[in-house]
Amino acid sequence: MKSINGINIYGDPKVKTPIVSFNIDGVHSLDLAHFLDYEGITIRSGHHCCQPLMSALNISSCARASFYFYNNKDEVDFLVDKINKAIKVIEIVIIINGHNILGSIEGDENLLMLAGWWSVFHQSTENFIIGKLIEPT
């Protein structure tokens, strides 16, 4: 998971546990959890009933992935791949929210369609409606 750009993993790496708490720069943990759920992966997000720890870490929430003896490297790689996909989609949604023209986004058309769907589904913008960028009122 350390290969993920912008990841902040919390905890002492010398203490080995199957639970990894983390945040991604620029990505809210709830957005990540919703996106991964759409991809068939369940993680936990929020303050995990430990607000004093969140305050001490100066964060409002984090994501948490839990592993067990039956998980294998392929599943961890799948999680990392989907987190990287989530980062790309959420970055595109931010560009959409920033009112950049859609033609300036280069890359996979399916990823752009997913970003549009995500923007509408998550209701993170009032300015992106069914694939059409409109000016705010």
Side-chain angles (χ1 to χ4, degrees), residues 6-7 22 32 38 52 58 63-65 71 81 97 106-107 112 114 125 127:
I7 193 166
F22 64 97
L32 181 63
Y38 173 76
N58 199 29
R64 187 173 75 195
N71 293 114
D81 180 55
N97 287 339
E106 296 179 12
L112 181 57
L114 183 57
T125 177
N127 304 320

Side-chain angles (χ1 to χ4, degrees), residues 67-79:
F67 301 95
Y68 203 55
F69 67 86
Y70 49 74
N71 293 114
N72 59 45
K73 184 180 180 317
D74 290 340
E75 291 170 324
V76 175
D77 290 343
F78 184 76
L79 172 63

Side-chain angles (χ1 to χ4, degrees), residues 2-103:
K2 290 181 181 180
S3 68
I4 298 169
N5 192 24
I7 193 166
N8 299 300
I9 299 176
Y10 304 105
D12 185 352
K14 295 176 187 171
V15 178
K16 306 293 185 203
T17 69
I19 299 171
V20 180
S21 296
F22 64 97
N23 273 320
I24 307 293
D25 293 339
V27 177
H28 193 279
S29 64
L30 184 59
D31 290 339
L32 181 63
H34 283 171
F35 185 90
L36 292 176
D37 182 52
Y38 173 76
E39 294 289 335
I41 300 171
T42 301
I43 64 168
R44 178 120 191 266
S45 71
H47 53 73
H48 312 292
C49 299
C50 57
Q51 294 92 330
L53 177 59
M54 297 291 134
S55 293
L57 294 172
N58 199 29
I59 59 175
S60 61
S61 68
C62 68
R64 187 173 75 195
S66 302
F67 301 95
Y68 203 55
F69 67 86
Y70 49 74
N71 293 114
N72 59 45
K73 184 180 180 317
D74 290 340
E75 291 170 324
V76 175
D77 290 343
F78 184 76
L79 172 63
V80 169
D81 180 55
K82 297 305 178 181
I83 290 173
N84 284 323
K85 183 177 179 182
I87 292 168
K88 288 179 185 176
V89 168
I90 291 168
E91 285 175 350
I92 292 172
V93 169
I94 290 169
I95 289 171
I96 291 168
N97 287 339
H99 301 282
N100 287 3
I101 59 170
L102 296 179

